Amino acid sequence: PSEPAVLSTVCIDLFSVRSREGIKHISVAPGGVVQALRSAGEQRFLFVVNWRFPPTQLACVFASHEESWPPSDGTSGPAGILLRSFCEEMCDDQRNARFKSIACVREGPWLVKTVIGKNAAILGKAMKIDYFRVPGDHFEVSIDVFSEAKARNILGLVQGAARKLVVEVALLIEGQDTEELPERVLGGFRVSRCDVARCRGPV
């Protein structure tokens, strides 16, 4: 089991998009959730994971528990140091080799549970990921779900059964050296019996 998450979950936003390519950098897009949070007074540094599968996208927004960024080493430990390196120092190839998710279907059809499983997946090994950093404001991980055939097929299963599914997702940065361990969840979210047809938008 992991220690408490490094980041706090601020918002999970499911929305439709007008563009066939989707919105690659949702954090700066007018009508996007990050701009709405800023308008509402959110001032913390935000870590955004943008899942792109047009005509729908899912933006997951997390923030540091502390007012300042990066989180202090004393409170966040190796995972916080690794997160800071991920956002500020690593190249994209290094990020692709470390950013991973663990998905678990709590409720839903047997086929979906079997296909998704409970294994950790290094997302950048299969899917195309773009990274955007605006110092002092946000870091965005933008994932093109349609860039990998298996992911596209799994998404089709999930969307078809969405109203029956309860799915939990944890996001992590893989520790590859002793000083980067133990691994710790960055943040997570749950999608419960989602009606995709009623998501907001288009943006």
Side-chain angles (χ1 to χ4, degrees), residues 164-198:
K164 301 176 182 178
L165 287 178
V166 177
V167 183
E168 295 176 349
V169 179
L171 301 168
L172 306 89
I173 299 171
E174 183 172 80
Q176 297 180 350
D177 296 310
T178 303
E179 61 268 21
E180 296 173 347
L181 300 174
E183 289 183 352
R184 187 172 161 190
V185 169
L186 291 182
F189 61 95
R190 169 184 283 193
V191 179
S192 182
R193 300 180 182 85
C194 179
D195 186 351
V196 178
R198 298 181 65 183

